[in-house]
């Protein structure tokens, strides 16, 4: 099975993990584990937006610094960012310096202020499939989008959220445990 790789610790994992210790930890402890809470889901949505067009390991390695410069992804704090903050972030090599993605994160944080506590969590989880799909046997069985991720993207865009395309939202669904795409043979597949 080329889609599963046995690591130096003799544990079979999804092959995308490779040999990177942080990627291994992320796979084992976070990816596909149900995530709840408005702030954690806002962080995940923001980071998935920054990841668009890049590899997730790039974002994962930069995540501690992202958390630092984006005020722990507290929407109220980010909503108060101004042009000085945008310029500060554009000069920070510790994050992805993409103005459109930075602006989208700030804009999305401002939209979060209009939501009631728990509303983002309930809204996003409302798009989780009602029943589990068959376990993917290979990575070619894993879709880039699903009808649910397309619907989630459209609903978020209708509310004004940005950098929430269907592929990005499917990645969110995977990482937040709304779907479980650990392939057959991975120790996390159950």
């Amino acid at each position: 099975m080329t889609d599963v790789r046995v690591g130096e610790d003799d544990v079979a994992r999804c092959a995308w993990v490779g040999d990177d210790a942080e990627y291994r930890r992320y796979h084992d402890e976070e990816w596909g584990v149900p995530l709840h809470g408005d702030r954690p889901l806002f962080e995940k949505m923001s980071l998935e937006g920054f990841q668009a067009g890049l590899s997730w390991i790039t974002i994962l390695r930069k995540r501690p610094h992202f958390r630092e410069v984006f005020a722990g992804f507290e929407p109220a704090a980010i909503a108060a960012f101004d042009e000085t903050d945008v310029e500060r972030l554009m000069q920070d090599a510790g994050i992805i310096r993409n103005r459109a993605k930075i602006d989208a994160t700030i804009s999305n944080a401002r939209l979060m202020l209009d939501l009631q506590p728990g509303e983002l969590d309930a809204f996003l989880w409302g798009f989780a499939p009602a029943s589990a799909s068959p376990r993917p046997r290979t990575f070619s069985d894993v879709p880039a989008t699903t009808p649910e991720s397309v619907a989630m993207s459209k609903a978020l865009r209708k509310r004004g959220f940005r950098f929430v395309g269907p592929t990005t939202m499917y990645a969110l669904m995977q990482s937040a445990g709304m779907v479980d795409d650990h392939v057959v043979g991975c120790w996390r597949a159950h």
Side-chain angles (χ1 to χ4, degrees):
M1 285 197 237
T2 59
D3 293 308
V4 174
R5 180 177 177 165
V6 177
E8 58 192 37
D9 57 358
D10 293 324
V11 175
R13 292 179 178 86
C14 297
W16 57 261
V17 174
D19 293 324
D20 186 276
E22 179 59 12
Y23 230 7
R24 189 170 46 243
R25 187 211 57 76
Y26 175 74
H27 170 274
D28 290 357
E29 298 174 14
E30 291 184 59
W31 195 70
V33 175
L35 177 69
H36 286 281
D38 291 343
R39 197 221 46 83
L41 286 167
F42 174 71
E43 175 183 337
K44 186 73 74 172
M45 183 171 62
S46 300
L47 291 174
E48 293 290 356
F50 274 102
Q51 185 270 331
L54 303 169
S55 70
W56 182 248
I57 191 64
T58 300
I59 302 303
L60 194 57
R61 288 179 180 142
K62 292 178 180 278
R63 182 168 64 173
H65 194 66
F66 266 107
R67 287 175 172 163
E68 180 183 330
V69 300
F70 277 98
F73 286 97
E74 288 296 338
I78 297 171
F81 283 12
D82 59 18
E83 189 57 34
T84 303
D85 293 298
V86 173
E87 290 307 317
R88 168 183 56 84
L89 293 166
M90 286 297 296
Q91 299 305 313
D92 193 329
I95 65 166
I96 305 305
R97 296 178 289 183
N98 178 302
R99 184 175 294 273
K101 293 176 181 184
I102 292 168
D103 287 342
T105 302
I106 296 167
S107 174
N108 291 348
R110 291 175 180 154
L111 293 170
M112 290 288 296
L113 300 182
D114 296 331
L115 303 179
Q116 296 298 312
E119 188 174 346
L120 181 68
D121 185 302
F123 179 78
L124 294 178
W125 275 90
F127 292 96
S131 60
S133 297
R135 168 102 21 232
R137 297 195 68 70
T138 69
F139 284 118
S140 63
D141 295 335
V142 177
T145 65
T146 61
E148 293 87 358
S149 74
V150 170
M152 179 189 285
S153 173
K154 285 182 182 177
L156 284 165
R157 286 178 176 169
K158 185 175 180 180
R159 289 180 171 221
F161 286 89
R162 296 168 23 206
F163 274 91
V164 292
T167 301
T168 300
M169 289 304 91
Y170 191 68
L172 172 102
M173 294 176 86
Q174 290 173 305
S175 65
M178 295 173 194
V179 296
D180 182 357
D181 283 338
H182 289 281
V183 297
V184 170
C186 172
W187 79 269
R188 288 284 319 279
H190 34 91

